[in-house]
């Protein structure tokens, strides 16, 4: 009866976390103790699913002893160990199997500072004492924040004493605990089972390199190992290790990255880096290029896109990749002036961003309800117009729509040489860079690996992962190009030659030009042959009255549309003239290396020379680890879901672990050194960068009225709760007073009704004394 009443009371009080069977067992034990008068000192309780045996002392205290433990794993007095560490690990393993944590405690040393005895105790040994503050000769307890303590004065322990040399024996073993042991369902949260292994640390570190957060990496590892209990660590442990990695770098960030670059340069002379510091030796600028990047620049450096609007790191330093704002307008011509090898660079504004401003500056009606934009785009986007033709067309459109006095349009016209294609027709490859889409695409790619909270060392690791993926994709696409030839449409020999020369995406563009040369071109005039060169005047039917002049020979073609200069590929006019001139192969002078299928066959001056032994060792270790993982995964694939095969794999792995010995592997700090690089041993001469203030990054950007209007338009309209109007809310509703009066009348009648039916509830609960009804 007592059991039923107590269970009912606990249910009524909302104690849903109490295990009824556990509560029943405790009540039965108590009743049994009372009936026996606590005179039976050998009384103990053990259930079928118990993990420990509970024993009562003459004083009524309970002690718990682990059960169902393999005898070989239970400590015994006089058991010998080859080292003190081996003895402590043995007791720790015993605690893991039993359900308690261990910790190192008191040790005694001899006159030579050698450890002669070592106490290893249960983690719940001792008590947490409150600190006292003595003020005016009076003691008062310190107010501590709300916390919990698992210390309960447990006396379970072993004492290791030295025998001779490094041999230790168990001199004392106390098995009894004064607290219940951790059940199997909770052992995954024990500290002894939450030590991040080398595998889990490496997994979390590799996941962070591809911008996978701590929580997701923990969940993903759970899926791989078959459950949270097999991960060996909690999300907090993963997060703490990430914190420890940042702390490991700390203020040594800049020095460590420079030391890493020095080591890379010593390993490979083709690796180049440069940096700059301020007057206080804080890093301000950093540049690097490995051998592959320098090789790529040598092969494809005829056109380079430079963008300084990408995201920043924890120091607000801007990452500026060379990916082929007004502040760049002054820096670019100075930094990339003309040389004997390369032409001078030019700063260019993004056409797309300027065109997006037309509706905002001129109004939606003009831009969307009239043909103003259609006529304007004909002159803005055209790459076949000369500057004078553009200026004439621009002026005519403004005059037609009476916009001669619009200030913004004339401001855009004043800077026309920075964004109109007509002014870039004689600049190599500028036709590919009308907008910032290429840079934005590259920025979006890097953002998949990078976070603003990254340090320099972390950013470089993420950058390495990004480049690995990019170069992997490049190798895949290159192999696809070399393993197959795209189909041709026409029977022209020049199209078949193009299929052999160009990469697949570029060939499809060339193919369109070749087909257009057959169907859309009309030859108007053919000049005489002079020094092997013939001049053609032809009309493009898609461009009305526009005429083009093409000069061709067996080895060259030059068209007045200047498509080859701007984009690096031949135009339809040139193909028409070459076909008429009976040229069956594309002149090799007109095939840029960047579009060639065999671009990498060119000789290069960038070679991996001077590779150190340490670098080779690192590469060999990395290769071996990859091969071992591949072999293990192959074995698991062969085993599949066959229980017998999986049992065999498990047996072999356990035997392998036994053969490898009890080595604990890398320490936490040593493993962090492998992942992040060694900490500088000398004084730090290059300090971490100060917080930078860069235009366009690290601060809120200006939001236009148009963007604000779009954002407000996407919001769900608020409605008044009283009358459902979208003009006002409940605070300013004109019907608010009427509503309040009605609510007051309802509350009044409800109160009177409650007074007539009030019930006095004291909250007391009677407990039956044990008699049945």
């Amino acid at each position: 009866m007592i059991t039923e009443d107590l269970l009912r009371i606990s249910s009524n009080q909302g104690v849903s976390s109490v295990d009824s069977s556990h509560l029943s067992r405790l009540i039965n034990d108590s009743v049994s103790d009372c009936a026996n008068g606590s005179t039976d000192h050998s009384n103990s309780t053990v259930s079928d699913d118990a993990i420990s045996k509970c024993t009562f002392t003459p004083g009524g205290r309970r002690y718990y002893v682990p059960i169902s433990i393999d005898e070989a794993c239970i400590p015994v007095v006089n058991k010998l160990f080859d080292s003190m560490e081996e003895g402590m690990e043995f007791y720790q393993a015993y605690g893991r199997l039993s359900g308690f944590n261990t910790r190192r405690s008191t040790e005694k040393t001899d006159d030579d500072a050698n450890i002669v005895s070592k106490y290893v105790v249960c983690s719940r040994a001792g008590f947490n004492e409150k600190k006292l503050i003595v003020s005016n000769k009076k003691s008062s307890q310190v107010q501590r924040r709300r916390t919990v303590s698992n210390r309960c004065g447990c006396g379970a322990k072993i004492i290791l004493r030295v025998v001779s040399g490094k041999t230790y024996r168990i001199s004392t073993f106390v098995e009894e605990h004064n607290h219940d042991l951790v059940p199997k369902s909770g052992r995954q949260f024990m500290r002894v089972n939450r030590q991040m292994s080398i595998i889990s640390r490496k997994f979390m570190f590799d996941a962070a390199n591809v911008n996978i957060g701590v929580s997701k990496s923990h969940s993903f590892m759970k899926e791989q190992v078959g459950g949270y209990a097999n991960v060996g660590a909690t999300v907090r442990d993963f997060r703490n290790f990430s914190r420890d990695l940042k702390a490991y770098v700390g203020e040594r960030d800049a020095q460590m990255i420079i030391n890493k670059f020095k080591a890379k340069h010593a390993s490979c002379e083709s690796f180049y880096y440069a940096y700059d510091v301020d007057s206080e030796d804080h890093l301000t600028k950093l540049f690097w290029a490995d051998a592959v990047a320098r090789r790529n620049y040598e092969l494809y450096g005829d056109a380079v896109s430079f963008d300084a609007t990408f995201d920043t790191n924890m120091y607000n330093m801007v990452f500026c990749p060379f990916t082929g704002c007004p502040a760049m307008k002054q820096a670019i011509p100075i930094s990339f002036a003309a040389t004997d090898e390369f032409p001078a660079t030019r700063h260019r504004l993004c056409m797309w961003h300027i065109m997006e401003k037309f509706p905002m500056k001129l109004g939606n009606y003009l831009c969307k309800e009239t043909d103003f934009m259609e006529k304007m785009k004909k002159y803005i986007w055209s790459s076949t117009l000369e500057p004078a033709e553009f200026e004439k067309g621009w002026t005519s459109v403004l005059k037609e729509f009476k916009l001669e006095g619009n200030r913004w349009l004339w401001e855009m016209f004043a800077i026309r040489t920075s964004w109109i294609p007509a002014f870039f027709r004689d600049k190599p490859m500028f036709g590919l860079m009308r907008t910032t889409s290429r840079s934005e695409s590259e920025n979006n790619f890097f953002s998949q690996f990078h976070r603003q909270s990254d340090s320099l060392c972390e950013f470089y690791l993420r950058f390495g992962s990004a480049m690995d993926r990019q170069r992997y994709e490049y190798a895949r696409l290159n192999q696809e190009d070399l393993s197959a030839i795209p189909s041709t449409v026409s029977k022209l020999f020049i199209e078949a030659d193009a299929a052999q020369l160009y990469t697949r995406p570029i060939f499809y563009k060339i193919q369109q030009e070749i087909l257009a040369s057959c169907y859309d071109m009309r030859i108007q005039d053919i000049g005489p042959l002079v020094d092997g060169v013939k001049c053609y005047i032809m009309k493009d039917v898609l461009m009305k009255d526009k005429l083009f002049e093409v000069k061709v020979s067996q080895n060259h073609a030059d068209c007045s549309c200047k498509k080859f200069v701007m984009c690096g590929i031949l135009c339809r006019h040139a193909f028409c003239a070459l076909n008429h001139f009976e040229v069956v192969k594309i002149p090799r002078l007109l095939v840029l290396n960047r579009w060639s299928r065999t671009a990498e066959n060119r000789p290069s001056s960038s070679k991996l020379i001077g590779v150190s032994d340490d670098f080779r060792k690192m590469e060999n270790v990395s290769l071996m680890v990859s091969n071992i993982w591949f072999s293990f995964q192959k074995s698991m694939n062969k085993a599949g879901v066959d229980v017998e095969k999986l049992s065999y794999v498990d047996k072999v792995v356990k035997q392998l672990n036994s053969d490898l010995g009890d080595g604990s592997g890398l320490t936490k700090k040593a493993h962090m050194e492998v992942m992040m690089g060694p900490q500088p041993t000398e004084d730090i001469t290059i300090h971490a960068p100060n917080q930078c203030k860069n235009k366009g990054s690290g601060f809120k950007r200006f939001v236009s009225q148009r963007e604000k209007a779009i954002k407000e338009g996407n919001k769900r309209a608020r409605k008044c709760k009283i009358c459902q109007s979208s003009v006002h809310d409940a605070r300013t509703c004109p019907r608010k007073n009427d509503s309040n009066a009605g609510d007051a009348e309802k509350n009044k009648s409800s109160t009177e009704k409650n007074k007539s039916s009030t019930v006095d509830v004291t909250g007391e609960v009677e407990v039956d004394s044990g008699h049945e009804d």
Side-chain angles (χ1 to χ4, degrees):
M1 188 65 182
I2 295 177
T3 302
E4 295 177 356
D5 290 337
L6 287 177
L7 290 175
R8 184 164 57 253
I9 292 172
S10 65
S11 177
N12 291 334
Q13 296 297 323
V15 187
S16 59
S17 61
V18 177
D19 186 355
S20 59
S21 61
H22 183 62
L23 181 60
S24 301
R25 188 162 61 249
L26 292 178
I27 294 173
N28 291 333
D29 291 346
S30 300
V31 172
S32 177
D33 290 346
C34 294
N36 295 333
S38 298
T39 57
D40 186 4
H41 306 319
S42 62
N43 180 34
S44 62
T45 59
V46 179
S47 62
D48 295 337
D49 58 346
I51 59 170
S52 62
K53 179 175 66 175
C54 179
T55 304
F56 296 92
T57 65
R61 295 183 178 180
R62 299 185 181 194
Y63 286 94
Y64 299 84
V65 177
I67 60 175
S68 303
I69 306 296
D70 189 356
E71 292 184 0
C73 300
I74 301 177
V76 292
V77 177
N78 293 327
K79 183 176 179 63
L80 299 178
F81 302 97
D82 294 335
S83 65
M84 184 181 65
E85 291 291 335
E86 183 181 349
M88 291 189 294
E89 290 177 3
F90 179 83
Y91 191 58
Q92 185 183 58
Y94 169 70
R96 181 186 297 109
L97 296 173
S98 303
F100 68 94
N101 289 307
T102 64
R103 76 169 189 268
R104 303 180 183 188
S105 186
T106 308
E107 64 182 28
K108 296 181 181 179
T109 59
D110 57 14
D111 296 336
D112 297 329
N114 297 320
I115 299 177
V116 296
S117 65
K118 182 71 176 182
Y119 285 64
V120 187
V121 300
C122 173
S123 63
R124 303 188 66 175
F127 297 94
N128 285 336
E129 298 180 358
K130 294 185 177 180
K131 297 181 180 179
L132 299 178
I133 295 180
V134 179
S135 176
N136 297 327
K137 298 182 180 180
K138 293 181 180 180
S139 63
S140 60
Q141 291 185 352
V142 177
Q143 290 186 351
R144 304 170 63 95
R145 66 177 182 175
R146 292 182 177 179
T147 183
V148 296
S149 173
N150 64 351
R151 300 289 182 91
C152 60
C154 181
K157 64 183 177 182
I158 64 169
I159 302 177
L160 297 170
R161 297 188 184 276
V162 67
V163 178
S164 61
K166 295 183 179 181
T167 304
Y168 285 80
R169 69 178 180 89
I170 298 178
S171 63
T172 303
F173 171 46
V174 179
E175 188 177 17
E176 296 81 7
H177 299 258
N178 67 348
H179 56 86
D180 205 349
L181 302 179
V182 179
K184 293 181 180 180
S185 61
R187 290 184 183 179
Q188 57 179 308
F189 306 107
M190 293 172 56
R191 188 179 67 249
V192 69
N193 291 324
R194 286 174 41 215
Q195 297 178 357
M196 289 190 69
S197 63
I198 295 177
I199 294 177
S200 58
R201 290 197 295 258
K202 183 70 165 56
F203 183 86
M204 193 218 74
F205 180 78
D206 293 340
N209 285 343
V210 290
N211 207 11
I212 297 178
V214 172
S215 298
K216 287 187 177 179
S217 63
H218 183 266
S219 300
F220 185 60
M221 190 171 185
K222 166 256 180 183
E223 297 296 334
Q224 283 202 325
V225 299
Y228 287 111
N230 299 329
V231 175
T234 63
V235 177
R236 182 178 294 275
D237 297 324
F238 273 52
R239 189 171 289 111
N240 289 343
F241 182 69
S242 177
R243 175 206 61 196
D244 294 342
L245 282 176
K246 288 185 178 293
Y248 174 82
V249 175
E251 297 180 353
R252 299 172 286 268
D253 191 16
Q255 188 70 59
M256 288 178 64
I257 193 69
I258 297 301
N259 289 352
K260 181 176 291 188
F261 284 174
K262 288 180 180 178
K264 283 183 171 293
H265 179 70
S267 300
C268 177
E269 293 181 6
S270 294
F271 182 88
Y272 176 83
Y273 72 98
Y275 64 94
D276 195 9
V277 296
D278 59 15
S279 58
E280 297 179 350
D281 292 331
H282 289 279
L283 186 68
T284 58
K285 302 181 187 69
L286 183 61
F287 174 85
W288 70 89
D290 59 16
V292 178
R294 296 181 69 181
R295 163 69 170 163
N296 290 339
Y297 182 78
E298 187 175 359
L299 295 175
Y300 314 110
D302 53 345
V304 176
S305 173
F306 180 79
D307 179 43
T309 61
F310 185 50
D311 214 347
T312 59
N313 59 5
M314 64 181 295
Y315 309 107
N316 245 9
M317 298 178 73
V318 180
F319 173 53
C320 306
F322 291 83
T323 57
C325 320
M328 297 165 58
K329 185 175 182 180
Q330 300 295 331
I332 290 179
I334 297 175
S335 303
F336 301 95
T339 63
D340 295 337
E341 299 180 3
F342 300 100
T345 58
R346 292 185 61 179
H347 179 259
R348 182 165 187 176
L349 300 178
C350 177
M351 292 184 64
W352 184 85
H353 286 91
I354 294 178
M355 295 302 294
E356 281 289 296
K357 293 183 179 180
F358 269 75
M360 181 176 60
K361 298 293 185 179
L362 304 178
N364 285 328
Y365 175 78
L366 178 66
C367 296
K368 296 183 179 180
E369 302 297 331
T370 68
D371 59 350
F372 167 76
M373 289 302 295
E374 182 181 351
K375 292 182 178 181
M376 186 62 79
K377 289 178 180 179
K378 182 175 65 173
Y379 297 103
I380 290 177
W381 287 98
S382 177
S383 58
T384 61
L385 295 177
E386 295 292 340
E389 294 176 303
F390 161 76
E391 293 172 357
K392 182 180 179 180
W394 174 283
T395 305
S396 65
V397 175
L398 264 60
K399 184 177 180 180
E400 178 183 353
F401 289 90
K402 299 179 181 180
L403 296 172
E404 299 95 327
N406 187 280
R407 180 180 176 182
W408 182 77
L409 286 175
W410 284 112
E411 287 178 354
M412 293 298 100
F413 183 77
I415 60 172
R416 59 192 180 279
T417 57
S418 298
W419 65 286
I420 297 298
F423 295 89
F424 295 92
R425 297 183 70 241
D426 58 342
K427 304 301 178 184
M429 309 302 288
F430 266 70
L432 300 176
M433 301 177 185
R434 297 183 179 187
T435 69
T436 59
S437 58
R438 293 181 182 273
S439 294
E440 290 171 355
S441 175
E442 195 72 8
N443 292 347
N444 179 66
F445 168 76
F446 280 112
S447 66
Q448 300 175 28
F449 300 84
H450 161 70
R451 294 183 179 181
Q452 283 191 340
S453 60
D454 288 344
S455 63
L456 291 173
C457 291
E458 288 175 321
F459 179 85
Y460 182 70
L461 291 170
R462 315 285 192 267
F463 172 80
S465 295
M467 296 310 299
D468 287 342
R469 179 189 292 183
Q470 198 172 74
R471 289 165 182 174
Y472 165 78
E473 286 297 317
Y474 173 80
R476 182 183 64 83
L477 294 174
N478 193 40
Q479 177 59 30
E480 288 181 359
D481 266 341
L482 295 176
S483 60
I485 302 296
S487 301
T488 57
V489 177
S490 69
K491 296 182 179 180
L492 297 176
F493 292 109
I494 203 167
E495 184 187 2
D497 185 50
Q500 296 286 342
L501 288 176
Y502 294 102
T503 61
R504 194 173 303 174
I506 299 300
F507 167 74
Y508 292 138
K509 294 183 179 181
I510 295 288
Q511 190 179 53
Q512 292 178 0
E513 298 295 325
I514 293 176
L515 295 179
S517 70
C518 299
Y519 303 114
D520 300 333
M521 298 297 106
R522 302 293 184 266
I523 298 177
Q524 302 294 316
D525 188 25
I526 302 176
L529 183 65
V530 179
D531 296 331
V533 178
K534 185 175 290 190
C535 182
Y536 290 84
I537 304 296
M538 62 182 61
K539 179 182 178 181
D540 191 335
V541 297
L542 299 179
M543 302 187 68
K544 296 183 179 179
D545 299 329
K546 186 72 174 178
L547 297 178
F548 297 93
E549 182 182 62
V550 185
K551 297 178 180 180
V552 298
S553 65
Q554 289 292 332
N555 301 317
H556 194 65
D558 183 24
C559 180
S560 61
C561 75
K562 298 183 179 179
K563 185 179 181 70
F564 180 79
V565 177
M566 297 184 66
C567 302
I569 62 176
L570 283 174
C571 61
R572 57 194 63 189
H573 321 114
F575 278 116
C576 180
L578 288 170
N579 186 38
H580 189 273
F581 200 65
E582 298 182 353
V583 176
V584 296
K585 289 189 177 182
I586 299 175
R588 295 310 187 250
L589 292 176
L590 302 178
V591 180
L592 296 185
N593 191 66
R594 69 164 48 244
W595 309 137
S596 174
R597 298 171 67 241
T598 59
E600 289 197 341
N601 294 342
R602 286 182 52 186
S604 172
S605 59
S606 299
K607 298 179 181 179
L608 293 174
I609 55 177
V611 179
S612 66
D613 293 337
D614 292 338
F615 183 81
R616 292 183 185 277
K617 183 179 179 181
M618 259 174 55
E619 290 294 315
N620 291 336
V621 169
S622 178
L623 180 61
M624 290 182 66
V625 170
S626 300
N627 291 338
I628 291 172
W629 272 113
F630 180 79
S631 299
F632 180 74
Q633 291 174 359
K634 188 176 180 181
S635 300
M636 292 298 295
N637 287 336
K638 290 183 177 180
V641 293
D642 191 312
V643 176
E644 293 184 359
K645 292 182 178 179
L646 289 174
S647 300
Y648 175 72
V649 173
D650 182 57
K651 179 181 178 181
V652 172
V653 171
K654 288 181 178 179
Q655 183 62 42
L656 179 62
N657 289 332
S658 176
D659 295 341
L660 292 175
D662 298 329
S664 58
L666 289 173
T667 63
K668 182 178 179 180
K669 184 175 181 180
H671 199 190
M672 288 193 293
E673 180 176 338
V674 172
M675 293 185 287
M676 302 297 295
Q679 293 178 332
T681 55
E682 68 280 358
D683 294 337
I684 297 178
T685 59
I686 305 174
H687 300 284
N690 294 319
Q691 287 291 325
C692 302
K693 295 182 179 180
N694 299 302
K695 183 172 182 178
S697 61
F699 302 94
K700 285 187 176 181
R701 68 178 183 88
F702 174 76
V703 181
S704 66
Q705 293 298 327
R706 182 189 180 200
E707 289 183 82
K708 291 180 181 177
I710 293 175
K711 185 176 181 181
E712 291 295 328
N714 293 331
K715 289 184 177 179
R716 186 176 63 180
R718 295 183 61 182
K719 293 185 178 181
C720 176
K721 295 181 179 179
I722 299 175
C723 64
Q724 300 298 315
S725 173
S726 60
V727 180
H728 58 261
D729 56 20
R731 296 174 296 177
T732 58
C733 181
R735 296 172 54 185
K736 182 178 180 180
N737 294 333
D738 298 339
S739 178
N740 290 340
D743 292 341
E745 188 67 26
K746 290 180 181 179
N747 292 335
K748 182 178 178 180
S749 61
S750 177
T751 302
E752 293 177 352
K753 183 178 181 181
N754 290 336
K755 285 182 179 179
S756 63
S757 57
T758 302
V759 179
D760 184 17
V761 181
T762 61
E764 295 181 357
V765 179
E766 288 187 2
V767 180
D768 193 279
S769 58
H771 301 284
E772 297 183 359
D773 294 334

